[in-house]
Structure formats: C-alpha cells, structure tokens
Amino acid sequence: MIYIYFILWLIIAASTFFVKSRKAVHILSGFYITLHAIFAENLFLEDFYLTTSGQFFTFDEIGSLFYVLLAIVATFVIIHSREYLKEDSLQDYKRYFALLMLLITAITGVYFANNIAITWILMETTTLCAAGILYHRHSKDTLEATWKYLFVCSTGIAIAYLGILLLAAAASNNSLNYEEMRTLITEGNPLYLKVAFLLMLTGYSCKMEIFPLYTIGVDANFAAPAPASALISTGLVNAGFLAIFRIYRLYADTQIFGWIRSVMLITGIISLVVGALFLRRTNNYKRFLSYSTVENMGIAAIGLGIGGIGIWAALFHVVCHTFIKSSLFLQIAIVRHIYNGYRINRIGDYININKVGAIALIAGMVVVLAFPPSPLFISELMILSQTIADGKWWLMVVMMFLLCVVIYSVCQRIIKLCYQPNQDELHPTNINRGLSYSALSLLVFAIILGLWQPTPLVDLINKIVTF
C-alpha cells in the first residue's frame, strides 16, 4: 500500500519542477499534503496499522507516531513557505517546493523502514534533498554550507554503513530486518557489536544533531530558509533519533546493553554541554535555535542512557520538542521578513512591531526552557527522577547546572529581540500576523500536552518502550 503513496508523492514532487506558475505549485503542494492526510487516516482507521507493506516497510508504533508529527509540521511548513518565498523567482520557488516534498517523502520512508539497509539508503536520500534546499539562496555562504552538508552527512552515513556491515557480520549475515536481527545478535561477538554501535551512532548523529556530528545540522538550519529549518530541526532530527532508537532497541537482549546505555549517556551529556555553551556564544537567532535542538536532543539521549522511566521521558521529550521547535522556527521566519536578518545584537523592539509574534516568542521561551506548563518539564523531571533513583547525583548536578546556563542564555536572547532598541532597517509591510497566530497554534498544542497527556498517546509510548 505504501508503494502507491510513494509513487504518487514522487510524481507530484517531480511535476512541481516543470509547472509554469505559482498557482500550479500551490495546487500540487496542496494535493501532496492532502495525500498525506489520507494516508494518515488510512493508517489508523483502516487495517494498515501494525502491518507490513511489501517487504521493507512496517507501520509500527514509533514510525506511526513520528509520521503524524511529520504530517502536521509539514502542513505548516508548506503554508508558511508560500509567504516566506513570495518574492523569489518562479524557478527558485518551484524548485524549493519540489525538493521540500521529496525530503518529506524520504523522511516518511525512514520512519516506516523495517530493514536497517533501507533506513540507511533513505537517510542518505534525505541528505541529497536537504542539500538542494540549503542552496536555495545561491549565495557564497549557502554554497559553502551545502557542500559541507553533503560532505559531512555523506561521510557520516558512510561511517554508519561500516557499522551496519559489522552488525550484519555479528548476525551471521542472515537478515537485515530489525526484528530478526535483534534475535540474531544476542550471541554475537561483543567487540563487533560495540564497534558497530559506535559507528552507527556517530554516523546518524549528523541527523539527530547530537555529538559528534551536530555541527552540520546547525549549519544546515542556518543556511536553509526558515520554514525548511522548522522541518529539518524536527522531522529530520526525529528521523535520526528513530534510526538510533531502533538500533538501541536491537541491543536490548545483548550482554553489552549496559555498555550501550553508558555510551548514550556520555553522548547526551556532551551534547548538552555543547548546546548550553554555544547558546551563549552565537549571534544569530537561527543558529541559536539550532543549538537549542542540540541541547534538547542531548537530554533525550541522556534519557535513553539512564534507562527505566528515562526511555519513556526521552520519547515524550522528542514528541513535544517537535511542536515547540517548529513553532519557534516559523516565528523566526516572520522576524526575518521584518528585519531581513537574524543578528541578535542588532535587531530588537519586536514587541512594538509585531506584538502577537513577540508574545508567541516569549511563550515559546517559557515552554522550550521546560517551565510549567511546558511538557518538557514533565520529561526532564522524569529523567532527573530516574538519575536520583539510580544514585547518579553527579549527573543531576551537572544537568541542573547546564540547564541553568541554558535558561540564562535563552531568556537573554529572546528578551533582547523583544525589548532592546532596534538598529536595523525595518520592513513592517511584510508582517503577516496570521502566520504568527498559525505558528503559535503549534506551541499551544505543546502546552496542552503539558497539561494533559491523552491516554492513546501514553499507551502508544508505553508500547514503544516495552522491549
């Protein structure tokens, strides 16, 4: 069933390259999103949920959960992109939307792939699609960012491929299916298994935006148009998280699972350190939000590292981060239209220029910093509770200190944007307050999750973490 949708999605994306008007682009992108809505409806209301389509795709719990998040964010990204790119040439306009749809299709494939090799292939496909989006502005900086993204991500994916080869050897080369490999590697060579995990974690870290290859994700978000950054920092980051989580789950029955958790814990701590420190140093709001993603994915990695209730918290954290970070990037896209830039030390007085957008950013600041009623407060509290239960007081102290640094940095930057005197030229006629309300709705949804967690969502995450 999914192959039919893949074919239709690819046809629509390819057709977008050749249309002759913006209206045609809007019609095709609307049709594309409608197909995703129909697919999501069929996924849960028909008999497709928890089934396998063809040989390589299974509609399991975690893939279905992340797909719904992707479909929601993609809808907002496409709507906001129409306004954000309205002054671009038709050629650039249709190329951007075609590549955006191809990227969404590739991410969808990553979510549902039940074969470690198919995940790898589709992950590399996301690199090619995203690279075309990064070069949208055709400037020297975006050209440099695009080549860096292609080189680093391709190198990372190649490193992950070496890990897959070692893991396949540990499984006696009998299968690359996730469920079958989980059984096959239980008696595998511990050295092979350890090296394989390190290689795959390193390779996919460029997508999840955690240590060690987090820098390329930051550069990608900086170069891409802001609405596309909303997709890259959520949908694509979730693809990286899911790829690593599936591998993490493979090792659950092996004798080295404790070692795997320790690696995830160390990776998460380093990512949290990097995110906290660079939030203080950057002078660009898009890079600023990107380092916030590194920090939040570091917290998710720590949750996987400590285990127990921390695994549930990590998944919930990633789900809620999707709504929060996409909302913030879409709000920053509106900021760019007004100021024609993202320089932290020069732009300000946003509260008097676009009050709705400013209030949304202040609310986003509160939520992303995990203050109640933020859903991140719940996930971070659960992770800290698990660290205390495990007697890891040192980890709690380190996390609390770094989170204090994050709180100070984020508050300072957002307050500057809203209240410091502005030094750049303004373009107030470009304000579309409707888009500010639109992006705010994603944040409102996240706040609702902080106040009330629907039983179906809780049950779904419970099933995912039971392995």
Side-chain angles (χ1 to χ4, degrees):
M1 183 270 293
I2 195 173
Y3 295 106
I4 297 174
Y5 282 96
F6 271 135
I7 292 171
L8 292 173
W9 290 331
L10 292 174
I11 289 174
I12 294 172
S15 299
T16 307
F17 282 109
F18 304 105
V19 296
K20 301 298 183 180
S21 67
R22 294 175 186 265
K23 183 178 179 180
V25 174
H26 296 165
I27 292 172
L28 287 173
S29 61
F31 187 38
Y32 179 84
I33 287 299
T34 301
L35 277 177
H36 275 283
I38 294 172
F39 178 67
E41 181 183 10
N42 289 337
L43 183 61
F44 289 100
L45 299 183
E46 302 292 336
D47 297 327
F48 302 130
Y49 184 53
L50 299 180
T51 62
T52 297
S53 179
Q55 185 180 354
F56 300 118
F57 299 97
T58 298
F59 309 122
D60 61 354
E61 292 92 348
I62 188 170
S64 300
L65 173 60
F66 280 5
Y67 172 72
V68 171
L69 298 177
L70 174 67
I72 294 171
V73 172
T75 302
F76 280 83
V77 168
I78 286 178
I79 293 171
H80 281 248
S81 293
R82 294 177 181 180
E83 178 73 17
Y84 187 85
L85 303 175
K86 64 182 180 181
E87 297 179 0
D88 287 20
S89 67
L90 175 61
Q91 190 67 26
D92 291 339
Y93 193 78
K94 63 185 185 181
R95 184 189 300 116
Y96 168 87
F97 276 92
L99 289 169
L100 188 66
M101 287 185 275
L102 288 173
L103 177 59
I104 295 167
T105 302
I107 293 173
T108 300
V110 173
Y111 288 169
F112 291 118
N114 62 17
N115 182 293
I116 195 169
I118 300 300
T119 299
W120 178 83
I121 292 169
L122 290 169
M123 199 70 82
E124 179 62 8
T125 305
T126 65
T127 299
L128 300 176
C129 298
I133 295 174
L134 301 190
Y135 189 53
H136 178 75
R137 295 298 180 191
H138 306 293
S139 66
K140 181 180 178 181
D141 289 340
T142 57
L143 178 62
E144 179 183 351
T146 300
W147 279 113
K148 284 171 64 178
Y149 187 78
L150 282 170
F151 177 77
V152 175
C153 283
S154 296
T155 301
I157 299 301
I159 291 172
Y161 180 67
L162 295 177
I164 292 172
L165 291 179
L166 279 176
L167 193 63
S172 303
N173 298 309
N174 287 328
S175 176
L176 292 176
N177 179 277
Y178 284 110
E179 291 302 320
E180 294 175 5
M181 287 189 78
R182 179 173 177 177
T183 302
L184 293 170
I185 68 173
T186 53
E187 301 300 328
N189 186 308
L191 179 60
Y192 279 18
L193 294 176
K194 288 181 178 180
V195 175
F197 182 80
L198 288 176
L199 290 173
M200 289 184 287
L201 176 64
T202 300
Y204 289 142
S205 67
C206 64
K207 300 297 183 181
M208 187 179 166
E209 297 187 20
I210 56 173
F211 179 85
L213 300 181
Y214 64 90
T215 55
I216 199 60
V218 175
D219 290 338
N221 286 321
F222 169 71
S229 297
L231 182 68
I232 292 171
S233 63
T234 56
L236 189 52
V237 165
N238 290 356
F241 174 85
L242 187 145
I244 291 173
F245 183 79
R246 289 195 191 279
I247 296 164
Y248 172 88
R249 194 162 55 179
L250 280 181
Y251 283 82
D253 298 328
T254 65
Q255 57 184 319
I256 65 164
F257 188 55
W259 181 87
I260 297 296
R261 286 173 48 188
S262 297
V263 171
M264 291 302 303
L265 184 61
I266 294 171
T267 302
I269 293 171
I270 297 175
S271 301
L272 181 55
V273 170
V274 168
L277 294 181
F278 278 92
L279 279 171
R280 291 284 304 128
R281 297 182 59 182
T282 184
N283 191 38
N284 182 283
Y285 277 108
K286 286 182 74 179
R287 287 188 179 274
F288 172 76
L289 291 179
S290 299
Y291 282 115
S292 172
T293 299
V294 175
E295 174 246 330
N296 277 283
M297 290 303 105
I299 292 173
I302 290 173
L304 296 181
I306 63 174
I309 200 172
I311 303 175
W312 197 100
L315 273 167
F316 185 70
H317 194 89
V318 173
V319 168
C320 299
H321 173 266
T322 302
F323 292 110
I324 298 167
K325 193 54 58 70
S326 58
S327 174
L328 288 172
F329 266 110
L330 292 176
Q331 292 289 357
I332 287 296
I334 302 168
V335 170
R336 190 261 178 188
H337 256 188
I338 295 172
Y339 298 97
N340 198 29
Y342 303 102
R343 291 172 292 184
I344 291 175
N345 291 333
R346 291 188 60 84
I347 63 177
D349 199 31
Y350 194 50
I351 192 72
N352 293 319
I353 299 169
N354 182 13
K355 186 164 292 185
V356 175
I359 293 173
L361 284 172
I362 293 172
M365 173 190 75
V366 173
V367 176
V368 81
L369 291 176
F371 291 119
S374 170
L376 302 186
F377 173 78
I378 298 172
S379 56
E380 292 183 14
L381 184 63
M382 293 171 72
I383 291 173
L384 289 172
S385 299
Q386 187 64 48
T387 62
I388 295 173
D390 292 346
K392 294 184 173 68
W393 291 94
W394 64 271
L395 177 59
M396 188 197 71
V397 172
V398 170
M399 287 185 66
M400 292 299 293
F401 172 75
L402 292 172
L403 289 175
C404 286
V405 174
V406 170
I407 290 170
Y408 174 77
S409 302
V410 173
C411 288
Q412 183 191 47
R413 296 299 197 270
I414 299 299
I415 290 173
K416 270 189 173 184
L417 173 59
C418 293
Y419 294 103
Q420 79 173 356
N422 176 60
Q423 301 178 47
D424 278 359
E425 181 182 355
L426 296 178
H427 306 273
T429 56
N430 290 331
I431 298 176
N432 186 336
R433 289 178 174 81
L435 293 181
S436 293
Y437 283 110
S438 170
L440 180 59
S441 65
L442 287 168
L443 190 65
V444 169
F445 196 84
I447 293 172
I448 291 173
L449 289 179
L451 298 171
W452 169 67
Q453 297 80 49
T455 301
L457 175 63
V458 174
D459 292 341
L460 191 61
I461 297 179
N462 286 337
K463 292 177 181 177
I464 294 170
V465 302
T466 302
F467 54 85

mmCIF file with all atom_site columns, all heavy atoms in Angstrom, residues 348-362:
data_model
loop_
_atom_site.group_PDB
_atom_site.id
_atom_site.type_symbol
_atom_site.label_atom_id
_atom_site.label_alt_id
_atom_site.label_comp_id
_atom_site.label_asym_id
_atom_site.label_entity_id
_atom_site.label_seq_id
_atom_site.pdbx_PDB_ins_code
_atom_site.Cartn_x
_atom_site.Cartn_y
_atom_site.Cartn_z
_atom_site.occupancy
_atom_site.B_iso_or_equiv
_atom_site.pdbx_formal_charge
_atom_site.auth_seq_id
_atom_site.auth_comp_id
_atom_site.auth_asym_id
_atom_site.auth_atom_id
_atom_site.pdbx_PDB_model_num
ATOM 1   N N   . GLY A 1 348 ? 15.721 44.388 17.421 1.00 0.00 ? 348 GLY A N   1
ATOM 2   C CA  . GLY A 1 348 ? 15.004 44.460 18.695 1.00 0.00 ? 348 GLY A CA  1
ATOM 3   C C   . GLY A 1 348 ? 13.678 45.199 18.548 1.00 0.00 ? 348 GLY A C   1
ATOM 4   O O   . GLY A 1 348 ? 13.194 45.457 17.452 1.00 0.00 ? 348 GLY A O   1
ATOM 5   N N   . ASP A 1 349 ? 13.082 45.511 19.698 1.00 0.00 ? 349 ASP A N   1
ATOM 6   C CA  . ASP A 1 349 ? 11.799 46.233 19.771 1.00 0.00 ? 349 ASP A CA  1
ATOM 7   C C   . ASP A 1 349 ? 10.675 45.470 19.069 1.00 0.00 ? 349 ASP A C   1
ATOM 8   O O   . ASP A 1 349 ? 9.733  46.060 18.556 1.00 0.00 ? 349 ASP A O   1
ATOM 9   C CB  . ASP A 1 349 ? 11.950 47.627 19.157 1.00 0.00 ? 349 ASP A CB  1
ATOM 10  C CG  . ASP A 1 349 ? 10.822 48.562 19.613 1.00 0.00 ? 349 ASP A CG  1
ATOM 11  O OD1 . ASP A 1 349 ? 10.329 48.382 20.744 1.00 0.00 ? 349 ASP A OD1 1
ATOM 12  O OD2 . ASP A 1 349 ? 10.428 49.433 18.823 1.00 0.00 ? 349 ASP A OD2 1
ATOM 13  N N   . TYR A 1 350 ? 10.784 44.160 19.066 1.00 0.00 ? 350 TYR A N   1
ATOM 14  C CA  . TYR A 1 350 ? 9.805  43.341 18.351 1.00 0.00 ? 350 TYR A CA  1
ATOM 15  C C   . TYR A 1 350 ? 8.416  43.431 18.989 1.00 0.00 ? 350 TYR A C   1
ATOM 16  O O   . TYR A 1 350 ? 7.410  43.279 18.312 1.00 0.00 ? 350 TYR A O   1
ATOM 17  C CB  . TYR A 1 350 ? 10.293 41.886 18.329 1.00 0.00 ? 350 TYR A CB  1
ATOM 18  C CG  . TYR A 1 350 ? 9.568  40.996 17.347 1.00 0.00 ? 350 TYR A CG  1
ATOM 19  C CD1 . TYR A 1 350 ? 9.405  41.378 16.019 1.00 0.00 ? 350 TYR A CD1 1
ATOM 20  C CD2 . TYR A 1 350 ? 9.075  39.761 17.738 1.00 0.00 ? 350 TYR A CD2 1
ATOM 21  C CE1 . TYR A 1 350 ? 8.762  40.557 15.105 1.00 0.00 ? 350 TYR A CE1 1
ATOM 22  C CE2 . TYR A 1 350 ? 8.434  38.921 16.828 1.00 0.00 ? 350 TYR A CE2 1
ATOM 23  C CZ  . TYR A 1 350 ? 8.280  39.325 15.515 1.00 0.00 ? 350 TYR A CZ  1
ATOM 24  O OH  . TYR A 1 350 ? 7.633  38.516 14.611 1.00 0.00 ? 350 TYR A OH  1
ATOM 25  N N   . ILE A 1 351 ? 8.372  43.706 20.281 1.00 0.00 ? 351 ILE A N   1
ATOM 26  C CA  . ILE A 1 351 ? 7.094  43.770 20.987 1.00 0.00 ? 351 ILE A CA  1
ATOM 27  C C   . ILE A 1 351 ? 6.217  44.905 20.448 1.00 0.00 ? 351 ILE A C   1
ATOM 28  O O   . ILE A 1 351 ? 4.984  44.821 20.478 1.00 0.00 ? 351 ILE A O   1
ATOM 29  C CB  . ILE A 1 351 ? 7.323  43.943 22.512 1.00 0.00 ? 351 ILE A CB  1
ATOM 30  C CG1 . ILE A 1 351 ? 6.025  43.716 23.282 1.00 0.00 ? 351 ILE A CG1 1
ATOM 31  C CG2 . ILE A 1 351 ? 7.914  45.312 22.806 1.00 0.00 ? 351 ILE A CG2 1
ATOM 32  C CD1 . ILE A 1 351 ? 5.585  42.292 23.337 1.00 0.00 ? 351 ILE A CD1 1
ATOM 33  N N   . ASN A 1 352 ? 6.837  45.972 19.928 1.00 0.00 ? 352 ASN A N   1
ATOM 34  C CA  . ASN A 1 352 ? 6.080  47.098 19.382 1.00 0.00 ? 352 ASN A CA  1
ATOM 35  C C   . ASN A 1 352 ? 5.868  46.986 17.871 1.00 0.00 ? 352 ASN A C   1
ATOM 36  O O   . ASN A 1 352 ? 5.098  47.767 17.306 1.00 0.00 ? 352 ASN A O   1
ATOM 37  C CB  . ASN A 1 352 ? 6.802  48.417 19.690 1.00 0.00 ? 352 ASN A CB  1
ATOM 38  C CG  . ASN A 1 352 ? 6.801  48.730 21.172 1.00 0.00 ? 352 ASN A CG  1
ATOM 39  O OD1 . ASN A 1 352 ? 5.786  48.532 21.853 1.00 0.00 ? 352 ASN A OD1 1
ATOM 40  N ND2 . ASN A 1 352 ? 7.933  49.193 21.685 1.00 0.00 ? 352 ASN A ND2 1
ATOM 41  N N   . ILE A 1 353 ? 6.561  46.054 17.243 1.00 0.00 ? 353 ILE A N   1
ATOM 42  C CA  . ILE A 1 353 ? 6.455  45.889 15.792 1.00 0.00 ? 353 ILE A CA  1
ATOM 43  C C   . ILE A 1 353 ? 5.455  44.788 15.434 1.00 0.00 ? 353 ILE A C   1
ATOM 44  O O   . ILE A 1 353 ? 4.640  44.944 14.529 1.00 0.00 ? 353 ILE A O   1
ATOM 45  C CB  . ILE A 1 353 ? 7.842  45.580 15.198 1.00 0.00 ? 353 ILE A CB  1
ATOM 46  C CG1 . ILE A 1 353 ? 8.792  46.741 15.470 1.00 0.00 ? 353 ILE A CG1 1
ATOM 47  C CG2 . ILE A 1 353 ? 7.745  45.286 13.704 1.00 0.00 ? 353 ILE A CG2 1
ATOM 48  C CD1 . ILE A 1 353 ? 10.237 46.435 15.171 1.00 0.00 ? 353 ILE A CD1 1
ATOM 49  N N   . ASN A 1 354 ? 5.532  43.689 16.154 1.00 0.00 ? 354 ASN A N   1
ATOM 50  C CA  . ASN A 1 354 ? 4.617  42.568 15.925 1.00 0.00 ? 354 ASN A CA  1
ATOM 51  C C   . ASN A 1 354 ? 4.309  41.935 17.277 1.00 0.00 ? 354 ASN A C   1
ATOM 52  O O   . ASN A 1 354 ? 4.965  40.989 17.701 1.00 0.00 ? 354 ASN A O   1
ATOM 53  C CB  . ASN A 1 354 ? 5.241  41.545 14.977 1.00 0.00 ? 354 ASN A CB  1
ATOM 54  C CG  . ASN A 1 354 ? 4.305  40.381 14.682 1.00 0.00 ? 354 ASN A CG  1
ATOM 55  O OD1 . ASN A 1 354 ? 3.108  40.428 14.972 1.00 0.00 ? 354 ASN A OD1 1
ATOM 56  N ND2 . ASN A 1 354 ? 4.867  39.314 14.120 1.00 0.00 ? 354 ASN A ND2 1
ATOM 57  N N   . LYS A 1 355 ? 3.337  42.517 17.964 1.00 0.00 ? 355 LYS A N   1
ATOM 58  C CA  . LYS A 1 355 ? 3.040  42.105 19.344 1.00 0.00 ? 355 LYS A CA  1
ATOM 59  C C   . LYS A 1 355 ? 2.668  40.633 19.443 1.00 0.00 ? 355 LYS A C   1
ATOM 60  O O   . LYS A 1 355 ? 3.094  39.926 20.361 1.00 0.00 ? 355 LYS A O   1
ATOM 61  C CB  . LYS A 1 355 ? 1.927  42.982 19.920 1.00 0.00 ? 355 LYS A CB  1
ATOM 62  C CG  . LYS A 1 355 ? 1.649  42.741 21.393 1.00 0.00 ? 355 LYS A CG  1
ATOM 63  C CD  . LYS A 1 355 ? 0.839  43.869 21.992 1.00 0.00 ? 355 LYS A CD  1
ATOM 64  C CE  . LYS A 1 355 ? 1.642  45.149 22.041 1.00 0.00 ? 355 LYS A CE  1
ATOM 65  N NZ  . LYS A 1 355 ? 0.906  46.235 22.743 1.00 0.00 ? 355 LYS A NZ  1
ATOM 66  N N   . VAL A 1 356 ? 1.888  40.159 18.480 1.00 0.00 ? 356 VAL A N   1
ATOM 67  C CA  . VAL A 1 356 ? 1.484  38.745 18.505 1.00 0.00 ? 356 VAL A CA  1
ATOM 68  C C   . VAL A 1 356 ? 2.706  37.834 18.405 1.00 0.00 ? 356 VAL A C   1
ATOM 69  O O   . VAL A 1 356 ? 2.863  36.876 19.168 1.00 0.00 ? 356 VAL A O   1
ATOM 70  C CB  . VAL A 1 356 ? 0.502  38.447 17.352 1.00 0.00 ? 356 VAL A CB  1
ATOM 71  C CG1 . VAL A 1 356 ? 0.184  36.954 17.297 1.00 0.00 ? 356 VAL A CG1 1
ATOM 72  C CG2 . VAL A 1 356 ? -0.766 39.253 17.520 1.00 0.00 ? 356 VAL A CG2 1
ATOM 73  N N   . GLY A 1 357 ? 3.594  38.154 17.457 1.00 0.00 ? 357 GLY A N   1
ATOM 74  C CA  . GLY A 1 357 ? 4.801  37.346 17.288 1.00 0.00 ? 357 GLY A CA  1
ATOM 75  C C   . GLY A 1 357 ? 5.701  37.406 18.504 1.00 0.00 ? 357 GLY A C   1
ATOM 76  O O   . GLY A 1 357 ? 6.306  36.402 18.900 1.00 0.00 ? 357 GLY A O   1
ATOM 77  N N   . ALA A 1 358 ? 5.821  38.584 19.116 1.00 0.00 ? 358 ALA A N   1
ATOM 78  C CA  . ALA A 1 358 ? 6.667  38.745 20.297 1.00 0.00 ? 358 ALA A CA  1
ATOM 79  C C   . ALA A 1 358 ? 6.132  37.929 21.467 1.00 0.00 ? 358 ALA A C   1
ATOM 80  O O   . ALA A 1 358 ? 6.887  37.243 22.170 1.00 0.00 ? 358 ALA A O   1
ATOM 81  C CB  . ALA A 1 358 ? 6.779  40.214 20.675 1.00 0.00 ? 358 ALA A CB  1
ATOM 82  N N   . ILE A 1 359 ? 4.817  38.004 21.686 1.00 0.00 ? 359 ILE A N   1
ATOM 83  C CA  . ILE A 1 359 ? 4.208  37.221 22.764 1.00 0.00 ? 359 ILE A CA  1
ATOM 84  C C   . ILE A 1 359 ? 4.396  35.728 22.513 1.00 0.00 ? 359 ILE A C   1
ATOM 85  O O   . ILE A 1 359 ? 4.679  34.950 23.441 1.00 0.00 ? 359 ILE A O   1
ATOM 86  C CB  . ILE A 1 359 ? 2.716  37.576 22.898 1.00 0.00 ? 359 ILE A CB  1
ATOM 87  C CG1 . ILE A 1 359 ? 2.565  39.020 23.399 1.00 0.00 ? 359 ILE A CG1 1
ATOM 88  C CG2 . ILE A 1 359 ? 2.000  36.614 23.837 1.00 0.00 ? 359 ILE A CG2 1
ATOM 89  C CD1 . ILE A 1 359 ? 1.137  39.526 23.395 1.00 0.00 ? 359 ILE A CD1 1
ATOM 90  N N   . ALA A 1 360 ? 4.287  35.318 21.239 1.00 0.00 ? 360 ALA A N   1
ATOM 91  C CA  . ALA A 1 360 ? 4.491  33.916 20.892 1.00 0.00 ? 360 ALA A CA  1
ATOM 92  C C   . ALA A 1 360 ? 5.926  33.476 21.182 1.00 0.00 ? 360 ALA A C   1
ATOM 93  O O   . ALA A 1 360 ? 6.166  32.365 21.671 1.00 0.00 ? 360 ALA A O   1
ATOM 94  C CB  . ALA A 1 360 ? 4.163  33.687 19.423 1.00 0.00 ? 360 ALA A CB  1
ATOM 95  N N   . LEU A 1 361 ? 6.894  34.359 20.897 1.00 0.00 ? 361 LEU A N   1
ATOM 96  C CA  . LEU A 1 361 ? 8.295  34.014 21.175 1.00 0.00 ? 361 LEU A CA  1
ATOM 97  C C   . LEU A 1 361 ? 8.571  33.949 22.672 1.00 0.00 ? 361 LEU A C   1
ATOM 98  O O   . LEU A 1 361 ? 9.314  33.089 23.143 1.00 0.00 ? 361 LEU A O   1
ATOM 99  C CB  . LEU A 1 361 ? 9.220  35.031 20.506 1.00 0.00 ? 361 LEU A CB  1
ATOM 100 C CG  . LEU A 1 361 ? 9.398  34.878 18.993 1.00 0.00 ? 361 LEU A CG  1
ATOM 101 C CD1 . LEU A 1 361 ? 10.181 36.052 18.426 1.00 0.00 ? 361 LEU A CD1 1
ATOM 102 C CD2 . LEU A 1 361 ? 10.097 33.568 18.666 1.00 0.00 ? 361 LEU A CD2 1
ATOM 103 N N   . ILE A 1 362 ? 7.981  34.850 23.432 1.00 0.00 ? 362 ILE A N   1
ATOM 104 C CA  . ILE A 1 362 ? 8.160  34.816 24.890 1.00 0.00 ? 362 ILE A CA  1
ATOM 105 C C   . ILE A 1 362 ? 7.531  33.552 25.460 1.00 0.00 ? 362 ILE A C   1
ATOM 106 O O   . ILE A 1 362 ? 8.114  32.880 26.327 1.00 0.00 ? 362 ILE A O   1
ATOM 107 C CB  . ILE A 1 362 ? 7.550  36.077 25.536 1.00 0.00 ? 362 ILE A CB  1
ATOM 108 C CG1 . ILE A 1 362 ? 8.352  37.319 25.125 1.00 0.00 ? 362 ILE A CG1 1
ATOM 109 C CG2 . ILE A 1 362 ? 7.539  35.943 27.060 1.00 0.00 ? 362 ILE A CG2 1
ATOM 110 C CD1 . ILE A 1 362 ? 7.724  38.624 25.537 1.00 0.00 ? 362 ILE A CD1 1
#
